[in-house]
């Protein structure tokens, strides 16, 4: 009778008490070191780094490169997680994980909860984290977003016209928005994170088109309904408001620029001519970075800042910063000086 009561009590336990997550995969053990890591994404601006404050579990790789995360400690609601392996030597790992800088790593972002099972098989060509078998459809949707982004970047190859680039951005951004609108809100948040990376041309386009779409306001409402207390949701609410304020400021600047008179342009040209006449290019004052070397070569090829931004997949403002650094390091004040400069 006692055993019958115990069995009955066990069967009456809520499903949540029996739930357990299982995330497993395989990597080539000759390429990766002896551990795999599971992190919770508490800050979606840290998707691509390795941060100690986000690490929740580490497990060893066996002799075949197989790893397995399991337990009963995750949230019952969906959250963003990151699985990664790296090639860092053991003495480097603590420093790399503290600074968020781990150059030799491979990772996959997943959406999961405490009940999910996810398998990450190794492909025949030893590629990893390219496929997933998951009980959570949202993880599969993230892979779809990644594939859309890759296809969009591939179409950028060879584009030089600013109009062509903007049209392509409009087309693919709309496709991402339409896809994300049908998925878990965390998929929409992942799309937002990708399209607002300030190191790429996507961010400038995001600001220009922010008031032309209801995707982001709708996403805010959906996150408030499903994940109101999540740290990533609160982060999004603040960033969206900041984006809107910045978009209004840039729109105001664009409108004011329309009223600049020809006299201002003449003064600018006169000033440039004055400094050009007083200052001659000299020796390099500081070494150029690899990115600055690329931009210097493109300047010599008569590429505009916008064309350089498109070719290198960086924002227009980032190009301007690099150009200013090049001017300072070379001791020049114009592109003409750069083209005529013999670096000594």
């Amino acid at each position: 009778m006692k055993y019958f009561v115990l069995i009955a009590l066990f069967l009456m336990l809520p499903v949540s008490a029996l739930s357990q997550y299982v995330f497993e995969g395989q990597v080539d053990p000759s390429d990766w070191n002896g551990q795999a890591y599971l992190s919770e994404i508490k800050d979606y601006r840290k998707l691509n780094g390795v941060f100690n404050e986000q690490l929740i579990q580490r497990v060893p790789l066996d002799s075949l490169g197989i790893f397995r995360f399991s337990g009963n400690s995750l949230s019952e609601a969906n959250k963003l997680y990151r699985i990664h392996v790296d090639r860092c030597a053991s003495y480097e790992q603590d420093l790399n994980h503290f600074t968020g800088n781990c150059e030799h790593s491979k990772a996959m972002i997943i959406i999961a909860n405490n009940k999910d099972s996810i398998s990450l098989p190794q492909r025949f060509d030893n590629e990893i984290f390219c496929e997933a078998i998951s009980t959570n459809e949202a993880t599969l949707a993230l892979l779809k977003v990644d594939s859309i982004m890759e296809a969009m970047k591939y179409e950028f190859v060879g584009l030089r016209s600013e109009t062509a680039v903007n049209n392509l951005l409009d087309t693919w951004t709309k496709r991402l928005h339409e896809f994300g609108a049908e998925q878990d809100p965390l998929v929409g948040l992942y799309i937002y994170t990708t399209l607002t990376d300030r190191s790429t041309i996507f961010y400038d386009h995001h600001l220009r088109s922010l008031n032309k779409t209801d995707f982001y306001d709708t996403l805010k409402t959906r996150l408030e309904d499903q994940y109101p207390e999540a740290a990533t949701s609160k982060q999004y609410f603040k960033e969206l408001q900041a984006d809107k304020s910045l978009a209004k400021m840039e729109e105001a600047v664009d409108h004011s620029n329309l009223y600049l008179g020809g006299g201002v342009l003449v003064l600018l040209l006169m000033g440039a001519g004055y400094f050009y006449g007083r200052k001659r290019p000299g020796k390099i004052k500081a070494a150029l970075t690899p990115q600055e070397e690329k931009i210097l070569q493109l300047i010599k090829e008569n590429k505009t800042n916008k064309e350089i931004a498109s070719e290198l997949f960086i924002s227009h403002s980032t190009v301007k910063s690099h150009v200013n650094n090049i001017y300072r390091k070379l001791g020049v004040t114009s592109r003409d000086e750069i083209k005529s400069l013999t670096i000594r």
Side-chain angles (χ1 to χ4, degrees):
M1 182 67 180
K2 178 174 67 174
Y3 295 110
F4 176 79
V5 172
L6 290 174
I7 293 172
L9 289 173
F10 177 80
L11 294 174
M12 291 172 62
L13 286 172
V15 175
S16 60
L18 305 176
S19 62
Q20 176 173 290
Y21 67 89
V22 178
F23 309 149
E24 55 190 0
Q26 183 175 17
V27 300
D28 185 346
S30 65
D31 283 343
W32 305 99
N33 69 14
Q35 295 187 94
Y37 303 84
L38 175 65
S39 303
E40 178 186 336
I41 305 299
K42 299 177 181 178
D43 178 349
Y44 54 72
R45 295 302 172 192
K46 295 181 177 181
L47 283 181
N48 299 318
V50 182
F51 300 91
N52 268 336
E53 73 273 16
Q54 296 190 152
L55 287 173
I56 58 177
Q57 192 175 0
R58 66 179 73 190
V59 297
L61 304 176
D62 68 13
S63 60
L64 298 177
I66 296 172
F67 62 86
R68 177 185 174 95
F69 301 103
S70 62
N72 193 35
S73 58
L74 301 189
S75 169
E76 295 299 315
N78 280 347
K79 284 189 176 182
L80 287 163
Y81 296 95
R82 182 180 193 268
I83 295 173
H84 98 269
V85 292
D86 62 46
R87 294 192 182 95
C88 300
S90 58
Y91 64 86
E92 296 177 317
Q93 285 176 345
D94 287 341
L95 176 61
N96 287 331
H97 294 172
F98 177 76
T99 61
N101 176 34
C102 191
E103 295 181 2
H104 306 292
S105 66
K106 188 77 172 179
M108 172 179 275
I109 308 300
I110 63 173
I111 294 175
N113 58 59
N114 201 50
K115 303 175 186 177
D116 282 324
S117 297
I118 298 176
S119 176
L120 308 175
Q122 183 181 17
R123 297 201 319 196
F124 68 91
D125 53 359
N126 290 335
E127 283 294 320
I128 59 174
F129 300 158
C130 296
E131 300 177 10
I133 301 170
S134 175
T135 56
N136 196 317
E137 292 293 327
T139 285
L140 304 181
L142 290 186
L143 288 175
K144 177 65 175 177
V145 172
D146 287 340
S147 68
I148 293 174
M149 290 297 299
E150 286 302 314
M152 175 171 62
K153 291 176 182 178
Y154 179 79
E155 285 203 17
F156 270 105
V157 176
L159 289 183
R160 294 293 180 268
S161 162
E162 179 183 359
T163 300
V165 170
N166 286 331
N167 288 340
L168 188 62
L169 284 170
D170 287 340
T171 299
W172 285 93
T173 299
K174 181 179 179 182
R175 187 172 301 181
L176 283 167
H177 287 175
E178 290 175 347
F179 178 76
E182 302 297 325
Q183 309 300 323
D184 185 289
L186 293 180
V187 177
L189 185 60
Y190 182 72
I191 291 171
Y192 168 79
T193 303
T194 303
L195 293 179
T196 54
D197 183 346
R198 294 186 181 227
S199 66
T200 70
I201 61 174
F202 301 128
Y203 184 68
D204 287 344
H205 179 267
H206 164 72
L207 292 180
R208 289 195 301 270
S209 59
L210 184 58
N211 295 323
K212 301 176 184 177
T213 175
D214 62 356
F215 175 79
Y216 299 107
D217 286 329
T218 301
L219 177 59
K220 179 176 182 292
T221 300
R222 296 172 66 208
L223 288 169
E224 288 172 335
D225 289 343
Q226 292 188 234
Y227 307 107
E229 298 303 318
T232 49
S233 295
K234 294 177 180 180
Q235 181 183 1
Y236 174 75
F237 303 153
K238 292 179 181 179
E239 286 199 8
L240 180 61
Q241 186 59 44
D243 287 349
K244 289 184 175 182
S245 298
L246 188 56
K248 287 182 180 179
M249 291 173 59
E250 294 208 352
E251 185 177 357
V253 170
D254 288 341
H255 287 164
S256 65
N257 285 340
L258 295 176
Y259 299 99
L260 287 175
V264 174
L265 179 59
V266 170
L267 288 174
L268 289 174
L269 291 173
M270 289 175 62
Y274 172 76
F275 285 108
Y276 179 81
R278 288 182 53 115
K279 190 172 184 180
R280 293 172 178 260
K283 294 184 179 180
I284 297 178
K285 297 180 180 180
L288 299 181
T289 66
Q291 186 77 316
E292 289 168 354
E293 291 282 1
K294 293 179 184 177
I295 293 174
L296 177 62
Q297 183 57 41
L298 292 173
I299 290 174
K300 291 181 178 180
E301 295 173 9
N302 294 318
K303 299 293 178 61
T304 66
N305 285 357
K306 290 181 179 179
E307 288 173 336
I308 293 172
S310 176
E311 184 158 334
L312 298 182
F313 292 101
I314 58 178
S315 68
H316 190 213
S317 58
T318 300
V319 174
K320 287 181 179 178
S321 296
H322 283 309
V323 171
N324 287 336
N325 288 336
I326 292 171
Y327 280 15
R328 176 176 54 80
K329 291 179 179 181
L330 298 185
V332 300
T333 58
S334 72
R335 288 173 176 255
D336 287 336
E337 286 186 55
I338 286 179
K339 293 169 190 175
S340 62
L341 177 63
T342 300
I343 298 177
R344 297 184 289 276

